[in-house]
Amino acid sequence: MTRRTVRLAHVLSSTALAAGALLATAACAQEDGRDAGAAGISASPAAARQQTESPTGSPTGSPTGSPTGSPSGSPTGTLTESGAETALITAADIEDDWTQVKDTEAENWHDGLLIGKVDVSDFLSAKTDAADCQRLMDSLFDDDLLGKPSGANALRGFTEDDSRLLYQVAAYDRTDVQDSLNWMAELPQECDQFTMTENGEKRTVQVTESSLPSVGDAREGLRVTVRGPVDGTDATLTLDVAAVRVGDNAITVTAGGLDGDEDDSVRSAVQLGTQRLQDVLAGRSPAASPSQFD
């Protein structure tokens, strides 16, 4: 990977010590979802295995899985810059006591524990799997899990104690974003556990699948745990990551830090953020933020 000159002591700021690089993107509501197959987008075998259905044939919320949705199709409006801003969630949309920060602060969130070179010797498939794991760690650091947006995009950041949550709405090329979701679906198998090294320090990384609400045209969820030394003290960084595709658009949510386990907040962001994006694409004003978490 391209070496970065970021110092751990600088990246792990006093306001949120080693709270991870957080990226977020969530998309489309159940009622307006579209089967990715019908849209000509192919899900990976892992994504297909993850999809589950209820006895009535509608998708359930358990494993993350991917292409699902109703035959009615996703909203077809084009996401504009102002629309992307409107589709962003607020602190009232997520569990717990999160505080919104300035966009300029959230844009510069990066975590030094995510920096390192993946050890190829950890993998049976060697270079292929190692490259996928390196891509994961690089994209978490750079806040571009789904690749670079092709159109409008907006982000918003929140903090809670030593944790951070980064939420992004963006327009992409549909084939590219679905390919990224298919790649994410394989990571719990390819990158279940590996080591990486930075400046002679070893870090252990674990990647597992996490479940998301059945929203959008396709979705994937991961939990990434990084264990390693920070200023001579062992630390554990836990990131909950979610990405949801809605047509040619997607939301990405990355939340976590040294406190770990922000799964409930991520699920809330995905559920309510998808509805907001659906409303914007359909030309409707999103509903007022809920108050059930107050």
Side-chain angles (χ1 to χ4, degrees):
M1 78 184 269
T2 302
R3 292 288 175 169
R4 301 182 179 277
T5 59
V6 180
R7 293 175 59 88
L8 284 180
H10 172 69
V11 176
L12 306 174
S13 66
S14 59
T15 57
L17 178 62
L22 312 173
L23 168 64
T25 330
C28 174
Q30 286 175 295
E31 61 186 4
D32 289 318
R34 177 172 58 183
D35 189 300
I41 307 298
S42 299
S44 69
R49 288 195 300 272
Q50 290 167 346
Q51 181 178 348
T52 59
E53 292 191 351
S54 68
T56 60
S58 59
T60 70
S62 240
T64 64
S66 257
T68 62
S70 69
S72 60
S74 299
T76 56
T78 300
L79 186 66
T80 64
E81 293 291 345
S82 61
E85 290 284 346
T86 302
L88 293 171
I89 61 170
T90 69
D93 292 320
I94 45 182
E95 291 272 9
D96 301 324
D97 188 23
W98 293 93
T99 300
Q100 184 177 329
V101 302
K102 293 181 179 180
D103 291 349
T104 52
E105 178 182 343
E107 288 169 357
N108 292 297
W109 279 347
H110 303 289
D111 199 299
L113 276 172
L114 299 171
I115 302 173
K117 182 177 180 180
V118 171
D119 188 346
V120 178
S121 64
D122 286 349
F123 302 92
L124 294 176
S125 300
K127 292 183 179 180
T128 300
D129 287 353
D132 283 334
C133 303
Q134 188 72 68
R135 174 185 169 188
L136 170 64
M137 303 310 292
D138 292 351
S139 63
L140 287 174
F141 183 89
D142 291 331
D143 296 338
D144 59 0
L145 189 66
L146 299 180
K148 300 298 183 183
S150 61
N153 61 94
L155 61 78
R156 182 164 289 166
F158 307 86
T159 61
E160 182 189 34
D161 298 326
D162 285 341
S163 293
R164 296 172 178 170
L165 185 150
L166 186 66
Y167 184 96
Q168 186 176 15
V169 179
Y172 299 87
D173 175 85
R174 184 180 303 184
T175 302
D176 290 346
V177 73
Q178 185 60 50
D179 286 347
S180 294
L181 288 172
N182 292 345
W183 163 73
M184 286 179 64
E186 301 290 345
L187 293 177
Q189 288 74 45
E190 293 185 357
C191 304
D192 56 340
Q193 181 165 315
F194 59 94
T195 58
M196 60 182 189
T197 305
E198 177 67 12
N199 294 329
E201 294 181 334
K202 292 281 188 180
R203 292 160 193 170
T204 302
V205 183
Q206 291 181 308
V207 181
T208 57
E209 176 189 355
S210 60
S211 64
L212 297 176
S214 293
V215 292
D217 297 328
R219 71 205 67 83
E220 294 298 336
L222 300 172
R223 171 167 288 184
V224 180
T225 305
V226 185
R227 295 180 177 87
V230 175
D231 295 334
T233 302
D234 287 341
T236 300
L237 171 69
T238 302
L239 299 178
D240 289 297
V241 183
V244 183
R245 179 176 70 81
V246 187
D248 299 338
N249 313 287
I251 62 174
T252 304
V253 186
T254 305
L258 298 184
D259 290 342
D261 194 0
E262 301 297 345
D263 180 65
D264 289 344
S265 293
V266 170
R267 289 177 62 86
S268 297
V270 165
Q271 183 77 55
L272 297 173
T274 293
Q275 181 66 57
R276 292 185 67 88
L277 181 57
Q278 173 203 354
D279 288 342
V280 167
L281 293 173
R284 299 189 295 264
S285 296
S289 297
S291 59
Q292 65 260 38
F293 305 135
D294 293 344

